[in-house]
Amino acid sequence: MKNFDLIVVGGGPGGIFAAITAAEKGFKVALLEKNKRIGNKILVAGSGKCNLTHTGKPKDFLDKYGDSGKFLKEALNKFSPDKLKEFFADNGLPLVLIEESGKFFPATFSSVDVVNLLKETLIRLNVQIVESFKIEEILKMGDEFHIVSDKEEYRAKNVLLATGGKSYPGVGTTGDGYVFAKSLGHKIVPPQPALAPIYVKEYAFEELSGISFQDVKITFWKENRKLIEKIGSVLLTHTNFSGPGILDNSRYVQSETSLEINYIGLEYEVFNKDIIESINEDGKKTIKKYLLKYSLPERFVKKILKISEIQEDIKLSELSKIKREELAKMLTSNKMEISKVGNFEMAMVTKGGVSLEEVNSKTMESKKVKGLYFAGEILDIDGDTGGYNIQGACSMGVLAAKSMTK
Ligand SMILES: Cc1cc2nc3c(=O)[nH]c(=O)nc-3n(C[C@H](O)[C@H](O)[C@H](O)COP(=O)(O)OP(=O)(O)OC[C@H]3O[C@@H](n4cnc5c(N)ncnc54)[C@H](O)[C@@H]3O)c2cc1C
């Protein structure tokens, strides 16, 4: 049996930053990780380059977590994006900003360097890192937690659950934390894949894989009710719609939701007016040439014309009213029935998890079990792409550690 002030379960960013912060405050800390090494998800983050945070102040971050952003206010204030950058710079791995996207990466663009630095820091602070540790159960007896495994038992007055969500199970996040939290009396909001591609019925763009549209209008409908309207980038793949605008908003998809995309950046009436004017002024121009003036990719224009059963060399003056309106609808408000959202294997994060109602956002402590803390994706909170998830997890971990060591 081993005794600690804090046992952190899960070696992702949330758990690691909690362990570092608590150890700095003099706590005796153990970090338990079921994989052979900590930080497996950090290794895959940002395609191995690790997008750690985003430009902006804490207040700019709040609306990047769907409806749950305000839960993170205290955490982001206690450990802001600037503090995260400072941590890495002070430890010899400064972060660099990619201006176009607002994303921050380590200067070496290497997730391996991030994990190595974090591991070295944990070791320097005497955090006991226990890898390949398989927890059987977590019990609360008196004012102490007992972490039971098939080999050893660990005990501590404080436990922080940071086991992540259910997405990308290959890196170790298989929803174990939900079982532990539930056994300790917590409510779990049903987990769903988020930051995932969206599949539609009769997807028409198989051969256009790789084409993307910047800052287009994306609308989600439930029957005739508008659920949400956003501006974002869309990527066409072999089988589905992806890209930041789709991934970030996949959290809003419910049953019987439709996806509408405006590829051209003009409202239906504006486009319709423009094409009518062009018919009057330059009726000899082919429809294909006319559409290319909108900087649409040629392969896309050809496909749209094919779907609309319009010959690409037809002159504008030969375009019937019905076909013109069909085309305008297709380009400005292409509404498609969603068949599914990408599954947990492909989703980058998990929506749902430990209910926020039962966790104190000022301390990250459970409102039900004294000494039990949470950080990161295990909670019912998920961020947009761009570094918001790692920043959120780190901020929650730091806040939890600061609260318990006060
Ligand atoms: C492909 C991909 C790319 C991504 N890229 C980015 C990016 O560039 N920027 C960004 O901000 N976010 C990115 N994310 C999301 C981000 O990585 C996660 O949201 C973040 O890592 C969550 O941190 P966490 O602390 O909650 O735990 P996680 O990083 O999910 O780690 C949880 C840890 O707990 C361990 N664990 C699970 N169960 C147990 C158990 N029973 N006992 C012990 N340990 C356990 C797991 O093995 C894992 O190591 C990406 C996600 C994916 C899948």
Side-chain angles (χ1 to χ4, degrees), residues 68-84:
S68 311
K70 62 179 183 309
F71 181 86
L72 281 183
K73 198 169 169 200
E74 185 75 15
L76 286 163
N77 282 329
K78 276 270 158 17
F79 191 66
S80 64
D82 283 347
K83 288 262 168 61
L84 184 114

Side-chain angles (χ1 to χ4, degrees), residues 193-200 235 237 239-243 246-248 250 253 259 338 340-343 345-348:
L195 290 190
I198 292 178
Y199 292 79
V200 297
L235 171 72
T237 80
T239 50
N240 55 44
F241 289 99
S242 189
I246 295 291
L247 298 173
D248 289 348
S250 57
V253 175
L259 165 68
I338 295 178
K340 61 179 180 178
V341 172
N343 58 19
E345 268 67 27
M346 56 175 79
M348 281 196 271

Side-chain angles (χ1 to χ4, degrees), residues 10 12-14 33-35 45-46 51 168 172-173 176 348 376-377 387 389-390:
E33 167 57 56
K34 77 169 176 190
N35 285 335
N51 169 207
Y168 247 65
T173 40
D176 305 12
M348 281 196 271
E377 235 186 276
N389 284 293
I390 291 184

Side-chain angles (χ1 to χ4, degrees), residues 9-16 32-35 37-42 44-47 50-53 105 133-135 162-165 167-168 171-177 180 195 347-349 375-378 384 386-391 393-394:
V9 183
I16 293 173
L32 311 181
E33 167 57 56
K34 77 169 176 190
N35 285 335
R37 57 182 181 185
I38 59 165
N40 265 359
K41 202 173 248 181
I42 300 175
V44 298
S47 307
C50 204
N51 169 207
L52 286 160
T53 188
F105 291 87
F133 190 88
K134 306 253 178 315
I135 296 172
T163 47
S167 50
Y168 247 65
V171 296
T173 40
T174 45
D176 305 12
F180 303 143
L195 290 190
M348 281 196 271
V349 296
E377 235 186 276
I378 184 173
D384 288 354
Y388 297 104
N389 284 293
I390 291 184
Q391 174 70 59
C394 297

Side-chain angles (χ1 to χ4, degrees), residues 17 65 82 146 152 166 174 232 244 270 293 304 307:
F17 270 81
Y65 302 87
D82 283 347
H146 296 217
E152 278 176 292
K166 257 186 96 163
T174 45
V270 179
K293 83 169 182 170
I304 288 288
I307 295 170

Side-chain angles (χ1 to χ4, degrees), residues 158-400:
N158 301 289
V159 161
L160 177 122
L161 291 181
T163 47
K166 257 186 96 163
S167 50
Y168 247 65
V171 296
T173 40
T174 45
D176 305 12
Y178 306 144
V179 181
F180 303 143
K182 203 169 169 192
S183 74
L184 290 162
H186 273 268
K187 198 164 74 191
I188 309 298
V189 176
Q192 282 175 43
L195 290 190
I198 292 178
Y199 292 79
V200 297
K201 291 190 180 153
E202 295 168 27
Y203 180 67
F205 302 123
E206 297 89 343
E207 325 92 87
L208 302 190
S209 176
I211 286 182
S212 62
F213 301 87
Q214 304 309 311
D215 299 331
V216 293
K217 190 164 84 181
I218 302 158
T219 314
F220 290 94
W221 296 89
K222 175 135 178 141
E223 285 150 12
N224 287 327
R225 188 166 55 88
K226 197 184 273 187
L227 285 179
I228 195 136
E229 189 173 277
K230 296 271 181 175
I231 301 292
S233 304
V234 172
L235 171 72
L236 306 181
T237 80
H238 288 294
T239 50
N240 55 44
F241 289 99
S242 189
I246 295 291
L247 298 173
D248 289 348
N249 297 305
S250 57
R251 67 162 80 91
Y252 300 111
V253 175
Q254 307 171 359
S255 61
E256 294 167 27
T257 313
S258 311
L259 165 68
E260 181 183 308
I261 301 178
N262 180 333
Y263 303 99
I264 203 160
L266 297 177
E267 293 305 322
Y268 175 88
E269 293 75 21
V270 179
F271 175 79
N272 214 10
K273 187 165 169 266
D274 186 81
I275 194 168
I276 291 170
E277 275 169 20
S278 298
I279 289 169
N280 293 336
E281 287 163 15
D282 198 3
K284 287 199 189 112
K285 192 181 248 178
T286 65
I287 182 70
K288 183 177 140 197
K289 203 160 173 209
Y290 167 78
L291 289 178
L292 287 174
K293 83 169 182 170
Y294 288 107
S295 308
L296 293 167
E298 187 168 351
R299 283 196 295 145
F300 176 75
V301 167
K302 286 177 157 214
K303 183 71 192 183
I304 288 288
L305 289 172
K306 193 168 171 201
I307 295 170
S308 311
E309 295 176 344
I310 300 172
Q311 285 174 353
E312 53 185 78
D313 54 0
I314 196 174
K315 294 191 178 55
L316 284 179
S317 56
E318 292 164 354
L319 193 64
S320 69
K321 181 169 180 274
I322 293 179
K323 285 291 166 200
R324 189 188 75 227
E325 288 175 353
E326 239 177 76
L327 182 66
K329 207 151 184 240
M330 184 84 192
L331 287 167
T332 62
S333 48
N334 183 203
K335 201 165 174 182
M336 297 156 280
E337 220 179 305
I338 295 178
S339 54
K340 61 179 180 178
V341 172
N343 58 19
F344 281 115
E345 268 67 27
M346 56 175 79
M348 281 196 271
V349 296
T350 306
K351 175 184 157 78
V354 173
S355 168
L356 301 181
E357 285 170 15
E358 297 174 347
V359 179
N360 182 344
S361 65
K362 299 259 189 292
T363 60
M364 303 308 297
E365 189 177 14
S366 159
K367 290 181 186 170
K368 308 193 89 178
V369 186
K370 191 169 171 355
L372 177 66
Y373 292 80
F374 298 95
E377 235 186 276
I378 184 173
L379 288 164
D380 178 20
I381 188 158
D382 53 287
D384 288 354
T385 52
Y388 297 104
N389 284 293
I390 291 184
Q391 174 70 59
C394 297
S395 296
M396 288 187 253
V398 171
L399 175 60

